[in-house]
């Protein structure tokens, strides 16, 4: 059995155990503070600060945790997490979840250190500062250069699967989309040292829903808040997804003859009431997410 031993700081062990929390197992050893099983390996954290990873997947798990395995087997040399993003990684993000009109666009992107200079030259690292015009201008460049998988759940399809008595709720449908985007990108042959999702739910909640999916991603996944500002791979996905969402919103608007606003403000209520007056509920089922409160508000406006 392959065994790796590390002596780590309390803070570092806390970081590692948080990442492995979805895979936690019980352990009766009074000196073990945390145990988990993942990637064909057992992870054991001790009160002394010692970390033991054992099993045929020990090296793979250590690599995922970004631990230095250059030291010999059963060593107790200190190590630290690799900082930054100087390794191949997949990042995902979604756009449209908070908008009444339009679908949900989810993108998974594969970025290597060789791509960093190109991405920074486009301002991808400052993507939150970008206007929609800038995003739409550079998204085609990213789509051409960066391996990615894009998925668009249209409002019509969204309303068929999300809601009371249906297959998904507003969170589980995003779990399904992110999982599928990652799965399909990995199927293209990319090899990532890390997979990060811009967190929209807790790791435990994500794990609860993703186990129900037919296509399972075997590699560990990390959910991080504000990941778009930390990782270029996530920022790329955010930009491509935003461009997809805006294009979908424009197309839907052209089809029904109305300019559909992004978001879920009173402006959306007003446009929705106009659509109801012109075409009835079918027009909202085609262009909007019906379970939003905007639907009832639009109906109230129409009945005034």
């Amino acid at each position: 059995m392959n065994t790796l031993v590390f002596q780590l700081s309390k803070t570092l062990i806390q970081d590692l155990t948080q990442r492995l929390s979805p895979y936690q197992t019980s352990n009766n050893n009074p000196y073990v503070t945390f145990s988990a099983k993942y990637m064909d390996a057992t992870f054991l954290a001790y009160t002394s600060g010692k970390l033991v990873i054992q099993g045929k997947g020990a090296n793979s798990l250590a690599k995922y945790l970004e631990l230095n395995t250059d030291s010999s087997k059963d060593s107790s040399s200190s190590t630290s997490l690799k900082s930054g993003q100087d390794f191949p990684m997949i990042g995902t993000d979604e756009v449209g979840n908070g908008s009444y009109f339009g679908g949900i666009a989810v993108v998974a992107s594969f970025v290597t250190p060789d791509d960093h200079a190109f991405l920074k030259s486009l301002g991808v690292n400052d993507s939150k500062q970008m206007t929609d015009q800038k995003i739409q201008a550079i998204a085609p460049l990213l789509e051409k250069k960066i391996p990615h998988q894009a998925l668009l759940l249209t409002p019509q399809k969204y309303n068929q699967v999300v809601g009371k008595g249906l297959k998904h709720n507003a969170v589980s449908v995003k779990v399904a989309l992110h999982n599928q985007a990652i799965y399909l990108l990995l199927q293209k042959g990319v090899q990532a040292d890390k997979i990060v999702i811009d967190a929209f739910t807790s790791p435990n909640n994500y794990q609860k829903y993703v186990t129900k999916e037919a296509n399972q991603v075997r590699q560990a996944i990390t959910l991080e808040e504000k990941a778009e500002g930390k990782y270029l791979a996530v920022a790329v996905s955010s930009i491509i997804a935003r461009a997809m969402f805006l294009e979908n919103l424009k197309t839907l608007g052209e089809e029904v003859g109305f300019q559909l606003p992004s978001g879920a403000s009173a402006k959306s209520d007003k446009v929705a009431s106009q659509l109801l007056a012109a075409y009835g509920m079918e027009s909202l089922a085609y262009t909007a997410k019906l379970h939003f409160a905007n639907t009832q508000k639009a109906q109230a406006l129409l009945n005034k």
Side-chain angles (χ1 to χ4, degrees):
M1 178 184 291
N2 191 14
T3 302
L4 300 173
V5 182
F6 306 93
Q7 191 68 36
L8 306 175
S9 68
K10 182 179 179 180
T11 300
L12 187 51
I13 288 180
Q14 287 176 340
D15 289 341
L16 296 175
T17 57
Q18 182 177 5
R19 291 173 66 179
L20 289 177
S21 60
Y23 316 104
Q24 185 174 4
T25 58
S26 60
N27 191 290
N28 295 325
N29 188 329
Y31 299 105
V32 172
T33 60
F34 178 89
S35 65
K37 287 188 177 181
Y38 192 65
M39 298 175 72
D40 289 328
T42 299
F43 175 104
L44 298 170
Y46 289 81
T47 54
S48 63
K50 182 174 71 172
L51 168 65
V52 177
I53 303 176
Q54 58 188 17
K56 68 178 183 179
N59 286 322
S60 296
L61 181 56
K63 183 178 180 182
Y64 160 66
L65 295 173
E66 300 161 342
L67 294 168
N68 179 11
T69 57
D70 291 339
S71 53
S72 61
K73 179 179 178 181
D74 289 326
S75 71
S76 58
S77 59
S78 62
T79 184
S80 63
L81 280 175
K82 188 192 307 179
S83 62
Q85 51 185 324
D86 292 328
F87 44 85
M89 68 177 296
I90 290 173
T92 75
D93 202 0
E94 88 279 341
V95 175
N97 177 64
S99 180
Y100 179 57
F101 288 111
I104 296 180
V106 173
V107 177
S109 300
F110 176 68
V111 170
T112 71
D114 292 339
D115 299 315
H116 290 183
F118 166 72
L119 297 176
K120 290 178 180 179
S121 72
L122 294 177
V124 170
N125 55 325
D126 295 320
S127 58
K128 285 190 175 181
Q129 308 299 322
M130 290 183 180
T131 63
D132 284 345
Q133 290 74 20
K134 174 69 172 178
I135 285 173
Q136 289 171 310
I138 71 170
L141 302 177
L142 298 177
E143 291 171 354
K144 183 177 180 180
K145 173 77 172 177
I146 304 299
H148 67 283
Q149 179 65 54
L151 300 175
L152 176 68
L153 183 66
T154 65
Q156 186 176 38
K157 181 63 177 177
Y158 182 95
N159 292 322
Q160 292 172 0
V161 298
V162 178
K164 188 175 181 180
L166 299 177
K167 182 178 180 180
H168 288 290
N169 59 42
V171 175
S172 69
V173 74
K174 289 191 291 181
V175 171
L177 289 168
H178 279 268
N179 176 73
Q180 184 70 353
I182 294 168
Y183 177 84
L184 292 175
L185 182 55
L186 289 171
Q187 290 294 105
K188 294 178 180 179
V190 305
Q191 295 183 343
D193 287 356
K194 186 173 184 177
I195 302 175
V196 176
I197 294 175
D198 193 26
F200 56 86
T201 189
S202 69
N204 286 340
N205 218 26
Y206 184 91
Q207 191 63 26
K208 178 181 74 173
Y209 289 125
V210 80
T211 55
K212 302 175 184 178
E213 294 303 307
N215 296 326
Q216 291 289 311
V217 175
R218 300 303 174 188
Q219 191 170 340
I221 293 173
T222 302
L223 279 78
E224 293 191 34
E225 294 183 0
K226 301 180 180 178
E228 180 188 356
K230 301 175 185 177
Y231 304 104
L232 289 167
V234 179
V236 167
S237 292
S238 177
I239 291 169
I240 296 175
R242 179 68 180 172
M244 284 181 62
F245 168 76
L246 291 172
E247 182 62 29
N248 176 243
L249 198 64
K250 179 183 176 183
T251 299
L252 291 171
E254 290 173 347
E255 289 176 354
V256 296
F258 285 82
Q259 186 172 351
L260 304 179
S262 177
S265 66
K267 187 175 181 180
S268 296
D269 302 340
K270 182 177 180 181
V271 174
S273 68
Q274 293 170 341
L275 277 169
L276 282 173
Y279 305 114
M281 184 59 72
E282 287 186 2
S283 63
L284 293 188
Y286 185 73
T287 61
K289 304 175 185 72
L290 291 180
H291 72 84
F292 276 41
N294 301 82
T295 301
Q296 287 71 41
K297 293 177 182 178
Q299 290 172 322
L301 284 175
L302 185 62
N303 294 329
K304 278 187 176 181

